[in-house]
Amino acid sequence: MTLPEPTDLLGQIYAGWAVEMNRHPDMSVELLRIVFDDWQRATAEPEGVSYAHTELGGVPGIFVTPEGADADQVLLFFHGGGFALGSSASHRKLAGHLAKACGTTAFVADFRLAPEHPYPAALEDGVKAFDALLARGHRVRDITPVGDSAGANLAVATVLKLREDGRELPAQVITLSPWLDMENSGTTIETNNDTDFLIAREGLQANIDRYLSGGADPRDPLVNPLYADLTGFPRLYISAADTESLYEDSVRFHALATKHGVDVTFVVGEGMQHVYPFLAGRHPRADQEIRTIADFYRLGR
């Protein structure tokens, strides 16, 4: 049987990473972080967008400002990378495309990473960044948590934490290829193994072990939102590729949101890769997805 081959730049990048990680199974987390900052190579530089290194509430990151953006509106962006990898550098261009399409600014948070800082450090940083935006004068409804992969988990968990604390919630949340299942039980991890050029069960488990090394319960809704009661949750956008290993996380999350009466939109990128909007500016399906997200965003303002 002939195995599928990557058909776009993102798939080629993922396949290249997989080769090197298999070749060097003992690669350190520090070296993996350098490798994963290359994620940005999949994304074209958005025109008319400026970036500034800054911090919010003690959380470093990059503030993204497209020309003509509504300065009152901000996307609070949580990057993917299994809670251990990724950065504002790897995701600034993706955030730039999203912010430009939505007509907003964005802050890509460099939350603390595992294993040096296991749960709840990243979640605490998410809340700190949210509070710092409020202190800058933004209204709650003008702050939209956005995240991809593990960052989508954090975007959702930040809102769940705000609700747990009895606070006002954002109007909407946007998730890209969310990674939610900290029990590593998804069937598509196996069934999509040949079509997902990056993610395998062993790698997921390694990141779970890093993130939960402080003793967190993998069924805690703030760790695993698939166990959350989403009653009263903001309107929700879920984007995922049907060929990615984490696809079942999105299917289950969509079903959970629907069960609890959430206004949820679920868009599937057929034949695409994990977090396919990374191809913004380089692939028509990614550009279409950015536009669809922007349409969703504007309806919730």
Side-chain angles (χ1 to χ4, degrees):
M1 182 180 68
T2 302
L3 295 178
E5 294 286 338
T7 59
D8 58 50
L9 178 58
L10 187 62
Q12 293 165 5
I13 290 171
Y14 287 165
W17 288 353
V19 167
E20 293 306 314
M21 287 187 287
N22 287 332
R23 185 178 295 164
H24 305 285
D26 296 327
M27 192 181 301
S28 68
V29 172
E30 291 78 11
L31 186 54
L32 281 169
R33 287 173 182 160
I34 295 171
V35 170
F36 270 69
D37 267 359
D38 190 44
W39 226 339
Q40 57 81 30
R41 183 161 56 93
T43 315
E45 189 72 65
E47 296 182 3
V49 178
S50 63
Y51 305 93
H53 288 273
T54 186
E55 66 174 42
L56 291 177
V59 180
I62 293 178
F63 208 86
V64 180
T65 307
E67 292 178 359
D70 182 347
D72 292 332
Q73 305 281 320
V74 60
L75 308 179
L76 177 54
F77 199 107
F78 298 90
H79 67 78
F83 306 105
L85 315 171
S87 69
S88 59
S90 64
H91 283 66
R92 66 169 182 84
K93 290 192 286 185
L94 174 57
H97 280 281
L98 281 170
K100 182 177 179 180
C102 293
T104 70
T105 61
F107 177 70
V108 189
D110 278 314
F111 52 84
R112 287 171 290 172
L113 299 176
E116 299 93 333
H117 305 284
Y119 174 86
L123 178 57
E124 291 171 348
D125 286 352
V127 175
K128 287 177 183 176
F130 186 88
D131 286 342
L133 287 170
L134 294 178
R136 284 168 58 120
H138 295 279
R139 299 173 299 181
V140 172
R141 65 178 177 270
D142 293 334
I143 304 170
T144 300
V146 180
D148 70 288
S149 196
N153 185 316
L154 290 172
V156 172
T158 297
V159 175
L160 293 174
K161 179 60 176 172
L162 294 173
R163 187 185 65 178
E164 182 181 276
D165 293 341
R167 298 179 54 180
E168 181 183 354
L169 303 184
Q172 49 198 351
V173 177
I174 298 169
T175 64
L176 312 176
S177 295
W179 180 36
L180 307 170
D181 179 13
M182 295 298 104
E183 295 181 298
N184 212 10
S185 64
T187 59
T188 52
I189 298 173
E190 302 298 336
T191 60
N192 285 349
N193 184 65
D194 290 341
T195 54
D196 187 315
F197 298 112
L198 174 65
I199 295 173
R201 192 179 298 277
E202 295 79 9
L204 291 173
Q205 190 60 53
N207 282 327
I208 290 171
D209 293 343
R210 294 182 184 110
Y211 189 50
L212 305 187
S213 61
D217 183 345
R219 295 188 177 191
D220 183 338
L222 294 180
V223 164
N224 185 343
L226 294 176
Y227 284 96
D229 180 346
L230 296 180
T231 303
F233 197 83
R235 63 194 299 268
L236 172 66
Y237 190 95
I238 305 170
S239 169
D242 61 349
T243 52
E244 66 172 303
S245 293
L246 295 180
Y247 181 60
E248 189 177 346
D249 282 32
S250 292
V251 172
R252 292 167 63 188
F253 196 46
H254 175 249
L256 182 66
T258 301
K259 173 184 174 182
H260 291 140
V262 177
D263 177 1
V264 57
T265 298
F266 183 22
V267 176
V268 178
E270 296 181 359
M272 301 302 292
Q273 286 293 303
H274 182 58
V275 198
Y276 65 90
F278 256 116
L279 288 167
R282 300 193 190 276
H283 195 290
R285 182 63 187 87
D287 292 339
Q288 176 189 335
E289 186 64 16
I290 296 291
R291 291 191 297 269
T292 303
I293 292 169
D295 290 343
F296 169 88
Y297 175 84
R298 283 189 290 267
L299 283 175
R301 289 180 59 170

